[in-house]
Structures are given as C-alpha cells and as structure tokens.
Amino acid sequence: MTDTSAQNPGGCFHCGENIPTGTHYPIMMDGRAEPACCRGCQAVAQTIIDSGNADYYRLRTDLPKTPEDALAELQKLELYDLPEVQQSFVKNEGEVREASLILEGIVCAACIWLNERHLRQLPGVLSAEINFSTHRARVRWDNSRLQLSQILQAIQEIGYLAHPFDTSRQEELFRKERNTAIRRLAIAGLGMMQVMMYAVPVYLAGEGEMTRDIQALMEFASLILTTPVVFYSAWPFFQGAWRDMKMKRAGMDVPVALGVGAAYAASIYATFIGQGEVYFDSVTMFVFFLLTGRFLEMNARKRSAEAAESLIKLIPAAALRLPGWPSERQEEIVAAVKLSPGDVVMVGPGESFPADGSVLEGASNVDESLLTGESRPVEKQVGATVIGGSLNLASPLVVRVEKIGADTVLSGIVRLLDRALAEKPRLAVVADQVASWFILAVLIIAAGVALAWYYIDPARAFWITVSVLVVTCPCALGLAAPVALTAALGRLTRLGLLSTRGHALETLARATDFVFDKTGTLTTGEFRLRRSDIVRGTESDALAIISALEQGATHPIATALRAAAPDHTLTASQLLNHPGKGVEGDVAGRHYRLGTPEFIAHSAPDLGPGLTLVGLADEAGPIAWFGLGDELRPHALTLVKELRGMGVRLHLLSGDREDNVAALAAHLGIEHAQGGMLPEDKLAQVKAMQAQGAIVAMTGDGVNDAPVLAQAQVSIAIDQGAEAAQAAADMVLLSSELLCLADGVRIARKTQKIIRQNLFWAAFYNFAAIPAAALGLVTPWMAGIGMSLSSLLVVLNAMRVSAVRSPTRRKPELAGQKVSPATP
C-alpha cells in the first residue's frame, strides 16, 4: 500500500500544487487531516473519500504532473457536477445555474473574445461573460441540458484552463503568472543585451574591417543566445497563434508569431549559408519590449481590479463556532465554508463576520465601509443583522448564521459588480467588432506590402513585412473600454455606489435630468410620530388598529406608526393596498381606511407645518389624525448644488402635499417640483421628459418607485429601500452618503472621456503606424516598442479614473433638520 504522505510533501494532498500561505482547508482521511490548496480541492477530495473511493489516494503511484492532469482527473470522475462540490461556488435558480470560474492562459483581449464566443456556442449556456482585469468568468447555464464538467472541458479544448473561483487560488495563480512573466522577461532581456553586444560591432565595422569568419562567429553566437528567447520567452505568442489557427480565426498573437518566427527562420538561413541579413537583434528586442508591455499591463490590470478583489477577500478563512450554545460555551475552530445556516459563531473585536446573520448576544460597533462606503461605525445590538465580511470593532458578538456562500450580501454585491463589468457598453461593443476584423485586414496588408517591396527593393521586403506584422496592435482597441470600466466601477464601489448594469456608467455620464423621490431619498425616511388629533376613542386603540392594517408593510410611515403602537392581538383581513394613497381592510369585524385625507375622503385638521398627515376612518367617519415628521439627509443641499454646477436639471416628484414639496424644493434650490403625485403620474412625467429629448436619471427607494426606475434611462435605488426598487435599478447606493451620486456623475463623465481618448489613440496609432511601417520607416525592434507602448498607454490612461477626487465636502450641517416628508 502506498504511503500517501510521501506523494505530496508540503503540497496539496489532492493536486500537489503549493499551498498558499495562511490557508487552511483540511481533508479528513483515516482519522488525520491532510492539507489542500483551496476549497475546490478540499471539496473534491473529501467527496472522493466519503463516497468510499479513498483507495484512489492510497494506491496512486504519483501526483498529477501538471494542473492540466489534475483537471483531467476531475473531469473523468465528473465530481464537479455533484451538488456538494458546487455548493461553495455555484448559485442555483432551479435548473439554471451560475458559476464563478477562474481562467488560466488569458493574455489579451482577444483571449476574452475567443472564450466568450466559444462558451456561448455551447447548447445550454445562457450567458458567459469574462472580466479581463480579474480573469474571472461568470457562466449561466441550463443544468438539464449541460453539465459543469462539460463547460470546463470545452474551455480546455481551446487551450485554456478553468477552475472554480477561490480567492486563495486566484492569488496563487496571479503570483504564478507574475513569476513566469518575470522569468520570460529576464531571459528576453539578457538575450537582447548579449545579442546586441555581438550586433553592434558588425554595425560599426567599416567595409573590409571585419573578416567573414569573425562575422560568422558573431552570427552563430547571436543564434545561440536568441534561441531561448524565441522558444521560451516568446512561446506564449506561438501558443496563442496556434490556438487561434485551430479555431480558424486570426487573433492578436498571429501577426506577432509570424513576425518573430519568420525573422528567426530567415536569420538562421542567412547564418548557415553565409549571406543575407540576420535579424537576431531585432527578434530579441521586440520580444523583450512586447513582454515588458504585457508585464506592466498585467500589473496595471491587477491594480484596476483591486476594489472587486478586496470585497472577495473580506470573508475570513476560519470561524469560531459554538456548537452547544446557549447551554454550553464549547468552542471549535472551523473553516468558514463549512458553516451552515443555524450555526452559532463568536466574533471577537478586530475580526470579520464569516457569514450573514443576526446578533444573539452582545453589543458592538461594526465597520461596513468596504461593503457600503459608510465611513461611520454602525451600532449592533441583539436582533440586529450583520453582513459577512464586515469588521467587528469593539466587543465580542454571538451571531446566528443565516446566509452562507452565494446567498450572502457580499456575494450578491460581487455578483452584481461582475455583471456590470462583463456587460459591455456601446463603445466597447463597436471596438470589439472592429478589432475582430482588424487582424485579418493586417495580414492582407502585410501580404500586399511584401509583394510590393519585392518588386521595389527585394533586400528590404522581408524586414518591412515583419515590421508591418509586429507594429499593429488590436489589443489597444480591445482594452480601451474594459480597463477603464473596471477602474471606474472599482472606484464607485469603494465610495458606496454599486453599478449593476454595464450601460449604467455610460448613460449616467450623458444624463441631462435628475429626478428625485422624497421620502427615503432626499430625506432619511426615519419617521416619528410627532402630533395626533383623536376624534373618537383613544390614541392607543387607534394605533392598535393602524398596526394591524400595516402588518408586513415596509414603507417608512407604516414602520413609524407600528413603532408607536402598543402591544396588541388585533389582526387584519381583506387588506387592499392603494399605492401612494393608503390601505383598507377589516379589523375585528369593522372596515377601516388608513391614508391621506383624500383617500379617506375627509378634510384634515392643521397639525402644524412640515408634517405628513395620516388619517384613520371607518364607515362613520374619521377616528384619528396623526402627524409624522422626517429629517433631511446630510449633504442633500450640497448634492443639489454640485449637480446643478455640472449642468444637470433637477426635478422633485413626490406624493406629499403640494405646499410641503414646494417648500422643500425652494429650500434645496430645485426648480421643478410637483407634489400629490401617484406612481402613474411620476411615470407619465418621466415619459414626457424623455419625449422632449431628456436623458433621465431617477433616484428612489420605495416599491411604488419601481415602475419609474425601470422607465428612466438610468436608475439609482437607495439600499435601505424596497427590494423591488433595487431590482429595477441600474445602480444601488449602498451608503447613506448622498454625495456619492455627484461623485458617480463626475466619475462616469471622466470614464467616458478616457474611453474616447483610448479609442482615439488606438485608432490613430494603428492608422499612423501601419503606413509608416509599410513605407520602410519603422524597423522591427521599433515596431515592438510601438506595439507595447500602445497597449500600455491605454491601460495607464484608464487608471486615471481611480484618481478622480471629490471636491471638499461641507460638514453635514443639515443632518437632523426636520423637513416635510413625502408620501410616495
């Protein structure tokens, strides 16, 4: 029997890969814990063992030699199709599944295009989007028609590798990619310097100053030094070209591989026959410059994606579970991925919450800034909900786990961010369409240039053709939009404004009109009962009836009225909700109406300025009137000032009384305001604005705002609002900081400007470089520099989005100011 411990010293028990520092994924076998490099290997190996196939590990004579071999083993066993393996990275929606995968082998925008196109052609795949900055793929498929193992196999068939997403594995893959790139770059750099040492004397030697045997020695030495540069440093270009040719398409690597390969082959021929030009120095130089450009681009891409990656890393690797709580205080450390809903965990000060849950014991302050952009700590007491990944600051908390894995708030944010990154705006789609035909056009042009120079000057025809092949850079076109969008969305996420649709930034940048709801948007939505006028009965009886009528309602007014009501046992039936007006139903055998004065068909008393009036009535008439007050959100006045300064027209549409709406609009400086509006009135108003050519951005929070949010060209929902509003919105404001909206417009406009700059530069470079190379003005090594700098310039320019700064903010002088709230 084979000793399994001897097969993987210091490596993963399942695949043999190195184990990232700080990870803990134990595999239990024969009563002992074996290490795994990631949760994917842990789940697969544990499933093999638990299913009675542990002999696979006892009897195997060797570990997989490469990750490809490891993946092949998994595909043969089809373990990735098992529900228990998919639990940590696949979201189920009936037969529709959605998985987050890491792709290995992605080197340029053309790789993204190839993989997306290949996956979308598979029967059963509903969507496939890949983010270039993170190399993370989001795939949705119909599990009744296609299995996950078939998707992984399809990716492998075109020369790439896909793994279930895991933070530690992604970090390990990036380190591996970076180290490999450094080695290739070092070999190319050393080769270039040594070859130039032999090439310079040949260039400087006058006629007859260097004998043929010395020149031949120089050429053979250059050949020896260039060979590892071509077959090791430049090997990814040849791999990519071969992959493209098998797929019968012309990718970005094809002209590069043709140029490098042809120059190297021609130089070998000239060296052995002793006549003709050699291009060893040009080959090593443009390989070195190409690799330098890709290496710098890789690091810039990594930085541009840091916002999304920082979210994923928030969940801790381990948790302190309390299996006997509350009767016992027994503690055990478990992997966070092993937690289940209902588990009770202890989270100490300075630790992150391992999952979404509710507080069972203790009181503390929690930092949710990385998730919501809210800079102030949030107080948590018994019964409060906590978000997985947020940081406990003050005291220990005992928490019941309620949501894990793909169902957590954090996973939802990352999923929405991935979707926004993957959905390409109009400019990016056009750029991709141009780039896909660009390479074929370049190959045709290169053939024409070769033919023309063969008749003009055969001695120059070869290196001019090589220059034409190398100087082109379709990747700059492909990178122009995605990298800028990644940087912009990452910046907005850190501020607390989450984009959920790819078009949101582009449309927000062009928005001409901003429409605001009132309650819960410009105001906090935190109502309090301030005054009452009891017509019949007592206040406590009236509030008990109201509490029964508003059972289950999420509107801020309903919440405030229920909070003011005493404990009671009343229940309501035959409930009928009238959006923007009120609710009616039966309580204890009597029919009641609750809502605006117009809804209960009675005039209201004057309870004072700035209050929203709610009346309760039965068949006999009014029973009681209640006045509720709200508070203006901090920085609402500054937001209005900044948006007006950016040339945006502002509108306030509310269901509140006309005088209240007019007073608030005058205070904030909003010129266009209307009150007493029902949801259909708001919808009609937005449609009328759009008919006049306006590009409308709508901000709201209530259920009744959902139709208007869906109608607007770009919509922003408040996170504290209703789920229906968030589902209809293109962006979600995660924090309570309204000024993020102004930042969003500012960053969106800057992003569109940078995308246009990138597209202009990419088009200008190619249209200028190709004729210059065709005329013989650009040597191959100069072409290599030009191609590298073209892509690098696009990436560095895109990263300027992350440097967009907000203007100096005012202190929240309006926080807590009482205003007239809305009845949306």
Side-chain angles (χ1 to χ4, degrees):
M1 185 172 294
T2 304
D3 180 8
T4 57
S5 63
Q7 299 176 16
N8 61 324
C12 176
F13 180 71
H14 176 71
C15 70
E17 290 290 292
N18 293 329
I19 298 177
T21 303
T23 59
H24 182 64
Y25 300 110
I27 301 168
M28 300 308 298
M29 177 173 168
D30 296 337
R32 67 177 183 275
E34 300 288 356
C37 64
C38 66
R39 68 184 65 175
C41 283
Q42 179 193 43
V44 170
Q46 200 65 59
T47 302
I48 293 174
I49 296 168
D50 295 345
S51 61
N53 295 310
D55 283 344
Y56 164 75
Y57 294 105
R58 297 191 185 98
L59 301 176
R60 65 181 180 180
T61 58
D62 197 6
L63 289 165
K65 294 181 176 58
T66 65
E68 291 89 338
D69 295 336
L71 183 60
E73 288 181 5
L74 302 184
Q75 289 170 335
K76 290 176 184 178
L77 296 172
E78 297 184 347
L79 289 175
Y80 277 130
D81 297 331
L82 297 177
E84 54 266 36
V85 177
Q86 295 185 2
Q87 183 179 5
S88 64
F89 67 95
V90 176
K91 182 174 178 62
N92 296 332
E93 301 173 3
E95 285 298 328
V96 176
R97 308 288 171 86
E98 180 178 316
S100 186
L101 307 173
I102 308 172
L103 264 62
E104 285 190 66
I106 301 292
V107 295
C108 68
C111 300
I112 302 293
W113 179 88
L114 173 62
N115 277 275
E116 288 182 343
R117 176 168 176 160
H118 185 65
L119 286 174
R120 289 167 184 167
Q121 291 173 342
L122 296 176
V125 170
L126 305 178
S127 65
E129 291 91 18
I130 303 169
N131 179 261
F132 178 70
S133 295
T134 62
H135 294 182
R136 196 161 66 244
R138 187 175 66 91
V139 184
R140 286 172 57 86
W141 74 96
D142 184 346
N143 203 58
S144 64
R145 301 174 59 195
L146 186 70
Q147 298 295 308
L148 178 58
S149 59
Q150 294 173 286
I151 295 175
L152 300 179
Q153 177 65 37
I155 294 173
Q156 187 183 22
E157 286 173 354
I158 59 173
Y160 298 86
L161 282 177
H163 309 284
F165 174 76
D166 180 87
T167 307
S168 59
R169 166 161 260 170
Q170 186 178 44
E171 285 296 315
E172 186 66 26
L173 289 177
F174 176 75
R175 283 195 293 268
K176 179 181 176 183
E177 178 187 6
R178 188 174 186 275
N179 292 337
T180 301
I182 290 174
R183 285 195 297 270
R184 295 188 192 279
L185 185 60
I187 295 296
L190 289 172
M192 178 191 69
M193 289 187 292
Q194 295 299 318
V195 169
M196 288 304 298
M197 289 177 60
Y198 293 110
V200 169
V202 177
Y203 291 147
L204 297 180
E207 186 70 28
E209 293 182 2
M210 181 177 290
T211 61
R212 178 56 202 162
D213 56 340
I214 297 298
Q215 184 175 344
L217 179 62
M218 299 284 192
E219 291 174 355
F220 273 103
S222 298
L223 168 60
I224 295 172
L225 292 167
T226 302
T227 299
V229 174
V230 172
F231 288 100
Y232 178 69
S233 297
W235 191 245
F237 300 116
F238 293 104
Q239 282 182 315
W242 176 245
R243 184 166 53 224
D244 292 336
M245 292 173 66
K246 286 196 298 183
M247 295 296 297
K248 297 180 179 178
R249 61 177 295 272
M252 177 262 181
D253 288 324
V254 172
V256 174
L258 283 175
V260 172
Y264 179 69
S267 299
I268 292 177
Y269 178 76
T271 299
F272 279 96
I273 68 171
Q275 58 182 359
E277 295 290 332
V278 295
Y279 306 97
F280 294 124
D281 53 336
S282 295
V283 169
T284 55
M285 286 183 73
F286 66 66
V287 167
F288 174 75
F289 289 127
L290 287 175
L291 292 177
T292 299
R294 281 198 176 179
F295 179 75
L296 295 175
E297 177 189 316
M298 177 181 65
N299 285 284
R301 168 172 48 82
K302 174 69 175 175
R303 285 195 297 273
S304 71
E306 282 179 351
E309 299 309 300
S310 64
L311 288 177
I312 299 167
K313 297 175 187 176
L314 292 178
I315 295 293
L320 185 63
R321 186 163 59 186
L322 308 178
W325 195 90
S327 58
E328 299 179 8
R329 284 287 180 172
Q330 181 183 356
E331 300 178 353
E332 62 178 5
I333 298 177
V334 298
V337 294
K338 292 291 187 180
L339 293 175
S340 301
D343 285 347
V344 177
V345 297
M346 170 80 77
V347 181
E351 297 177 355
S352 297
F353 293 94
D356 291 359
S358 59
V359 178
L360 297 176
E361 180 181 284
S364 183
N365 292 324
V366 174
D367 181 3
E368 298 178 350
S369 59
L370 284 176
L371 291 165
T372 67
E374 180 62 64
S375 58
R376 292 169 293 184
V378 181
E379 185 178 350
K380 300 291 182 181
Q381 297 181 347
V382 174
T385 59
V386 293
I387 303 174
S390 57
L391 183 66
N392 185 16
L393 297 177
S395 305
L397 292 176
V398 177
V399 175
R400 177 189 290 114
V401 174
E402 295 179 349
K403 294 181 180 179
I404 60 171
D407 296 324
T408 62
V409 171
L410 179 60
S411 295
I413 291 175
V414 172
R415 194 159 50 247
L416 290 174
L417 186 56
D418 280 345
R419 181 176 70 183
L421 287 168
E423 292 178 358
K424 298 174 181 177
R426 177 175 47 85
L427 287 174
V429 172
V430 173
D432 285 349
Q433 292 172 345
V434 172
S436 63
W437 289 99
F438 184 75
I439 292 294
L440 184 60
V442 166
L443 294 176
I444 295 173
I445 291 172
V449 168
L451 185 63
W453 276 99
Y454 179 78
Y455 288 103
I456 297 172
D457 187 353
R460 303 178 63 195
F462 182 77
W463 70 261
I464 290 177
T465 304
V466 170
S467 297
V468 172
L469 289 171
V470 175
V471 79
T472 54
C473 189
C475 261
L477 284 172
L479 292 172
V483 180
L485 286 174
T486 299
L489 294 178
R491 172 73 173 143
L492 287 177
T493 301
R494 288 193 294 271
L495 290 172
L497 184 60
L498 176 66
S499 178
T500 66
R501 294 288 190 277
H503 76 85
L505 270 183
E506 181 181 14
T507 312
L508 185 62
R510 298 186 294 114
T512 59
D513 293 72
F514 245 89
V515 176
F516 289 99
D517 177 42
K518 190 180 175 190
T519 303
T521 303
L522 291 176
T523 64
T524 63
E526 298 174 357
F527 284 87
R528 292 182 182 179
L529 180 59
R530 302 195 183 277
R531 293 186 183 180
S532 62
D533 182 5
I534 308 303
V535 180
R536 290 182 284 134
T538 65
E539 179 177 302
S540 60
D541 290 342
L543 287 172
I545 296 171
I546 289 174
S547 180
L549 290 171
E550 294 284 21
Q551 60 187 4
T554 60
H555 190 276
I557 291 179
T559 303
L561 289 171
R562 285 200 307 269
D567 293 335
H568 64 89
T569 58
L570 297 178
T571 59
S573 60
Q574 305 296 320
L575 288 172
L576 180 61
N577 184 48
H578 300 269
K581 298 178 181 179
V583 63
E584 60 180 309
D586 296 338
V587 178
R590 299 184 65 179
H591 189 75
Y592 295 92
R593 292 168 70 86
L594 172 71
T596 64
E598 294 78 13
F599 179 65
I600 66 173
H602 289 278
S603 59
D606 184 8
L607 296 183
L611 295 179
T612 290
L613 297 182
V614 176
L616 175 67
D618 58 9
E619 294 90 341
I623 297 174
W625 295 95
F626 296 95
L628 298 99
D630 195 4
E631 296 179 353
L632 195 65
R633 281 185 183 268
H635 295 305
L637 187 60
T638 308
L639 169 68
V640 170
K641 181 179 178 181
E642 290 193 10
L643 289 177
R644 291 181 62 184
M646 288 186 274
V648 178
R649 293 187 295 268
L650 303 179
H651 308 261
L652 177 59
L653 306 181
S654 174
D656 200 8
R657 294 179 298 176
E658 287 279 1
D659 54 345
N660 283 345
V661 174
L664 179 61
H667 176 68
L668 293 176
I670 298 177
E671 296 179 0
H672 308 283
Q674 288 183 262
M677 302 192 77
L678 299 175
E680 52 266 32
D681 298 328
K682 295 181 183 180
L683 186 62
Q685 180 68 22
V686 169
K687 287 182 177 179
M689 293 164 58
Q690 292 171 330
Q692 296 175 1
I695 299 176
V696 178
M698 172 69 191
T699 305
D701 75 313
V703 173
N704 59 335
D705 292 323
V708 194
L709 290 169
Q711 176 63 34
Q713 282 98 332
V714 60
S715 51
I716 305 158
I718 306 298
D719 184 50
Q720 292 85 354
E723 291 185 7
Q726 296 181 34
D730 303 311
M731 308 181 86
V732 178
L733 182 63
L734 298 174
S735 75
S736 60
E737 180 55 80
L738 275 182
L739 285 176
C740 289
L741 298 179
D743 292 332
V745 175
R746 194 175 292 107
I747 291 173
R749 291 182 176 181
K750 184 71 171 180
T751 302
Q752 293 305 304
K753 181 178 179 181
I754 286 177
I755 288 176
R756 290 189 179 92
Q757 290 173 349
N758 285 347
L759 289 173
F760 173 79
W761 162 251
F764 172 79
Y765 166 80
N766 282 292
F767 283 125
I770 293 176
L775 293 173
L777 304 178
V778 179
T779 62
W781 67 268
M782 292 171 60
I785 294 177
M787 179 183 179
S788 301
L789 290 180
S790 179
S791 289
L792 184 59
L793 183 62
V794 164
V795 173
L796 294 178
N797 189 44
M799 290 185 65
R800 291 196 300 122
V801 175
S802 300
V804 175
R805 292 288 179 263
S806 304
T808 302
R809 300 305 192 192
R810 296 184 184 181
K811 294 180 180 179
E813 70 279 2
L814 296 178
Q817 180 175 338
K818 297 177 180 59
V819 299
S820 57
T823 305

